């Protein structure tokens, strides 16, 4: 099965063999353009097929998002539009068409009816007669949320993104929509629309940076002084729908611009974070009560922030069981789209029985064998062939180390692409972020073994949920104490280098945990290949690189 997302942002592809994920690749990792999109991601499709060792002819099903497609794939274009687009194509100026915009223009409730799906599959090198499904983003997010849920019934499925919020209920073997649908939410001033406006207005790279700024402000005593003004225009009705009303203010964009003028960006972000937590919790609670449920599965980019998730779970209370697909990676829609095709073909019962948690999957290209030859051939100096003890000593001395292990693309599950440092210096997070040309407030991840996390963070439940640092550990980890944390358990079987490094560091420092930040420079896509690690070292972004064979430093 091949899942493809061709939206304006975060285009990408994913390949499954049944319910087993073989590969996934965002277009941005291949083009080097952050959040790249706006076209069919043919490079990402080719990358996935290559990683999975699958030929195009082996693909037995294609899932396409309601994204952007070349004009030649549309059935309903008028003759004049076809001629015009043909001329622009000859001149190299053709632009893709939004499927949802075209469906609204033609008043079609089934957008896929506008496409020649056989031609599209053929143009991608696939069999023209394979099953093709066009999926909406909330369906993709909902099925991803269900892969993270251990339950097969009696569950509220709540998804949220920039287009709005949709609630579904899994009951009696059926998944039914309760509130909202893709067509209803696409053009409203939803909470997600406020997030997009705030990201643009504050000059932030994406929503993740906005959430990080909000969490940093809250952790350092910043009051969400604008939250009540936000909540006056964003309410929850008796059916659990989140309703906005900015018409009297001239629209959400104009109102937000006036409200935020002269305010510190951190307080705007904190206020918006408070709005999301309160209104999401209220809507979810109303829906749970109406359906007499006590379990909820969450999905979508607005529910991917770990601090927001922790606050949301605290607001809902311990009586509500929460499962979440929290990875905010660029491959969510291709993954969810392929799952949508599987669920449509196999039925919901089979889907629920066969599903697998995707957080445990590794889906990038395996560069393990290439790291040391690339570094050695580039003239880097090998510091030690005892990588674990040498790297632990360097970390204990305050050095910053990039670790390359396992497979690449993806934020979790069997691979590590992170920059590690000790938390003994209170300013360590800001210092490392500055070396990476990123805002100082971007929060770190706390890496430790599962046993250490249970002892270190009694409230810790799941890697996807933020954890408040236990006060007794704050003196030993002052850098972590300043930031909201996401705790991640390191398993020896999946991440042997990082797990061994943690054990070696503990033997030197008596601390069982290290801090990490994403291997990313500025607003570029997250780094992945051996050449990316080499660049980090050459540019002085990190002091050393550790692999499973050696520790390396740049040539002097």
């Amino acid at each position: 099965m091949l899942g493809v997302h061709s939206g304006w942002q975060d285009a990408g592809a994913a390949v499954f063999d049944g319910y087993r994920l073989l590969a996934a690749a965002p277009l941005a990792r291949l083009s080097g353009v952050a959040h790249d999109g706006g076209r069919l991601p043919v490079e990402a499709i080719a990358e996935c097929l290559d990683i999975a060792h699958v030929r195009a002819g082996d693909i037995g099903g294609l899932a396409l998002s309601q994204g952007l497609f070349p004009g030649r794939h549309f059935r309903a274009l008028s003759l004049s539009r076809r001629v015009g687009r043909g001329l622009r194509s000859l001149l190299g100026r053709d632009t893709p068409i939004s499927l949802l915009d075209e469906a609204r223009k033609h008043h079609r409730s089934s957008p896929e009816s506008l496409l020649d799906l056989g031609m599209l599959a053929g143009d991608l090198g696939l069999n023209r007669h394979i099953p093709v499904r066009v999926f909406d983003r909330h369906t993709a997010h909902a099925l991803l949320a269900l892969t993270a849920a251990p339950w097969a019934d009696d569950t509220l499925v709540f998804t949220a993104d920039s287009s709005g919020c949709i609630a579904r209920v899994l009951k009696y073997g059926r998944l039914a929509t309760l509130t909202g649908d893709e067509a209803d939410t696409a053009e409203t001033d939803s909470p997600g629309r406020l997030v997009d406006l705030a990201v643009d207005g504050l000059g932030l790279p994406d929503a993740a940076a906005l959430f990080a700024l909000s969490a940093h402000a809250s952790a350092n005593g910043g009051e969400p002084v604008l939250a009540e003004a936000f909540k006056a225009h964003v309410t929850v009705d008796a059916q659990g729908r989140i309703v906005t009303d900015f018409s009297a203010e001239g629209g959400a964009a104009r109102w937000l611009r006036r409200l935020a003028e002269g305010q510190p960006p951190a307080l705007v972000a904190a206020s918006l974070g408070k709005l999301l937590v309160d209104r999401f919790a209220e809507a979810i609670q109303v829906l749970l009560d109406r359906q007499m449920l006590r379990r909820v599965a969450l999905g979508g980019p607005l529910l991917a922030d770990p601090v927001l998730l922790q606050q949301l779970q605290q607001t809902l209370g311990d009586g509500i069981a929460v499962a979440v697909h929290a990875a905010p990676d660029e491959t969510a829609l291709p993954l969810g789209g392929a799952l949508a095709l599987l669920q449509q073909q196999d039925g919901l019962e089979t889907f629920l029985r066969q599903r697998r948690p995707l957080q445990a999957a590794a889906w990038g290209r395996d560069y393990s064998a290439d790291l040391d030859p690339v570094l050695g051939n580039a003239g880097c100096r090998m510091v030690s062939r005892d990588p674990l003890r040498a790297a632990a000593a360097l970390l204990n001395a305050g050095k910053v180390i990039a670790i390359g292990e396992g497979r690449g693309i993806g934020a979790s599950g069997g691979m590590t692409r992170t920059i590690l440092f000790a938390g003994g210096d209170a300013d360590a997070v800001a210092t490392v972020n500055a070396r990476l040309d990123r805002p100082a407030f971007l929060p770190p991840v706390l890496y430790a073994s599962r046993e250490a996390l249970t002892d270190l963070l009694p409230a810790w439940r799941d890697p996807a949920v933020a954890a408040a640092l236990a006060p007794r550990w704050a003196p030993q980890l002052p850098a972590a104490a300043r930031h909201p944390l996401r705790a991640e358990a390191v398993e020896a079987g999946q991440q042997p280098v990082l797990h061994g490094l943690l054990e070696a560091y503990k033997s030197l420092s008596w601390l069982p945990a290290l801090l990490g930040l994403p291997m990313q420079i500025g607003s570029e896509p997250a780094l992945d290949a051996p050449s990316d690690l080499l660049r980090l070292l050459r540019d002085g972004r990190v002091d050393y690189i550790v692999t499973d064979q050696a520790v390396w430093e740049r040539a002097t």
Side-chain angles (χ1 to χ4, degrees), residues 15-16 22-23 46-55 407:
V15 174
F16 282 76
L22 299 181
E47 177 77 353
C48 284
L49 295 176
D50 192 39
I51 292 172
H53 304 295
V54 169
R55 298 173 303 165
R407 298 176 71 170

Side-chain angles (χ1 to χ4, degrees), residues 282-524:
E282 184 179 353
I284 290 168
Q285 192 63 64
V286 168
L287 291 161
L288 289 170
D289 291 344
R290 287 177 61 86
Q291 295 295 319
M292 293 183 291
L293 299 173
R294 308 301 293 168
R295 300 188 294 213
V296 58
L298 304 174
L302 289 189
L303 292 163
D305 177 67
V307 176
L308 184 148
L309 280 170
Q310 183 199 29
Q311 294 171 347
L312 180 59
Q313 192 160 12
Q314 289 175 344
T315 304
L316 289 171
D318 291 336
I320 305 300
V322 179
V324 58
H325 178 79
D329 62 271
E330 317 97 307
T331 54
L333 288 176
L335 292 172
L339 293 175
L341 180 58
L342 285 166
Q343 188 269 324
Q344 182 189 47
Q345 290 188 353
D346 297 347
L348 184 60
E349 181 181 356
T350 299
F351 171 83
L352 293 172
R353 189 171 62 250
Q354 298 290 333
R355 62 192 164 152
R356 302 183 182 189
L358 295 180
Q359 285 90 338
W363 54 76
R365 189 177 290 279
D366 191 346
Y367 292 110
S368 299
D370 301 328
L371 292 174
D372 295 283
V374 167
L375 296 171
N377 291 335
C380 297
R381 191 175 77 87
M382 183 184 294
V383 175
S384 172
R385 286 188 178 274
D386 185 0
L388 299 183
R389 286 199 296 180
L394 291 167
L395 287 165
N396 197 40
K399 302 300 183 181
V400 179
I401 292 179
I403 179 171
E405 175 181 355
R407 298 176 71 170
I409 295 168
S412 64
M415 76 296 290
T416 301
R417 290 289 184 271
T418 193
I419 292 171
L420 293 174
F421 53 98
D425 179 0
D427 296 321
V429 176
T431 300
V432 176
N433 274 323
R435 292 178 69 169
L436 297 168
D437 291 338
R438 297 200 309 238
F441 56 79
L442 291 183
V445 174
L446 183 72
Y447 289 105
S449 68
R450 189 170 296 276
E451 296 75 21
L453 278 178
T454 304
D455 177 62
L456 177 66
L457 304 166
W460 181 84
R461 297 178 181 178
D462 186 90
V465 179
L469 186 65
R472 65 189 178 93
W473 284 92
Q476 284 81 11
L477 290 169
R482 287 190 175 189
H483 297 267
L485 286 180
R486 179 166 63 88
E488 190 160 312
V490 178
E491 306 289 351
Q494 293 185 340
Q495 297 163 299
V497 175
L498 181 53
H499 188 274
L501 185 52
L502 286 166
E503 292 298 312
Y505 178 72
K506 180 182 177 182
S507 69
L508 290 176
S509 67
W510 302 99
L511 287 175
L514 288 165
L515 299 180
L517 284 164
M519 196 176 288
Q520 185 177 0
I521 298 174
S523 59
E524 297 179 12

